[in-house]
Amino acid sequence: MAVVSEQDVRDKLRLSGYTMTSQRRAVLDALESSSGHPSAEDVYLLVKRRNPRVALGTVYQALSVLEEVGVIESKRWSDSPTRYDVNTVPHTDVRCLKCGAVDEVPGVEYGGLENTVHANTDYQVTNVSLVIEGLCPACQKES
């Protein structure tokens, strides 16, 4: 999982009129220490271990601000809760159709995908996200 520099986060927050609060730092720490792409509920449970007084709404608010300023990004699939990722550079994810686990696939390059889309459509590409679906090793063993 990518680690976001403290100064980069502070700069992005400041440019958007926000500050680094202890709650935002706790949410970011939880995201950086988690495997896969956790849901807001998963992040809440991780933060709550360190700070039992934290509220779920506080976690949602922190996630919203961190996404707004570009420190994290959300992943939305119709059959799964929104997941969050600190890796905001274009990359490929692999998602288990059975349990919902999400992992990043290293070494997959987009090549000229953005240019190909631009050359063949009238779309202006603003984000590239690719997800591969299948069964994770644990779910394969259960089958």
Side-chain angles (χ1 to χ4, degrees):
M1 187 69 56
V3 176
V4 183
S5 87
E6 181 82 18
Q7 191 58 52
D8 186 42
V9 173
R10 288 184 184 281
D11 290 346
K12 287 181 177 185
L13 286 165
R14 186 174 40 255
L15 286 171
S16 298
Y18 296 105
T19 60
M20 175 62 87
T21 63
S22 61
Q23 295 91 346
R24 291 180 188 134
R25 182 74 254 170
V27 165
L28 198 53
D29 288 345
L31 283 167
E32 289 174 341
S33 68
S34 68
S35 60
H37 299 7
S39 66
E41 178 79 16
D42 296 331
V43 173
Y44 167 69
L45 294 173
L46 290 168
V47 172
K48 193 167 180 65
R49 285 184 198 157
R50 295 182 184 160
N51 180 1
R53 294 181 156 176
V54 72
L56 180 59
T58 301
V59 170
Y60 272 107
Q61 191 172 39
L63 287 167
S64 176
V65 168
L66 292 170
E67 182 179 14
E68 178 187 331
V69 301
V71 173
I72 65 172
E73 66 178 28
S74 61
K75 311 276 183 160
R76 291 175 174 84
W77 298 290
S78 61
D79 60 343
S80 172
T82 300
R83 305 293 190 106
Y84 295 90
D85 190 0
V86 293
N87 184 358
T88 59
V89 298
H91 63 276
T92 301
D93 293 315
V94 61
R95 183 172 79 101
C96 181
L97 292 170
K98 188 171 182 181
C99 71
V102 181
D103 292 299
E104 293 179 5
V105 181
V108 176
E109 300 294 326
Y110 286 131
L113 182 60
E114 186 174 334
N115 291 335
T116 301
V117 171
H118 183 69
N120 292 299
T121 72
D122 291 331
Y123 282 81
Q124 176 184 2
V125 177
T126 58
N127 182 36
V128 176
S129 177
L130 180 62
V131 65
I132 298 168
E133 296 178 323
L135 293 177
C136 71
C139 289
Q140 289 175 49
K141 289 178 185 175
E142 293 175 7
S143 297

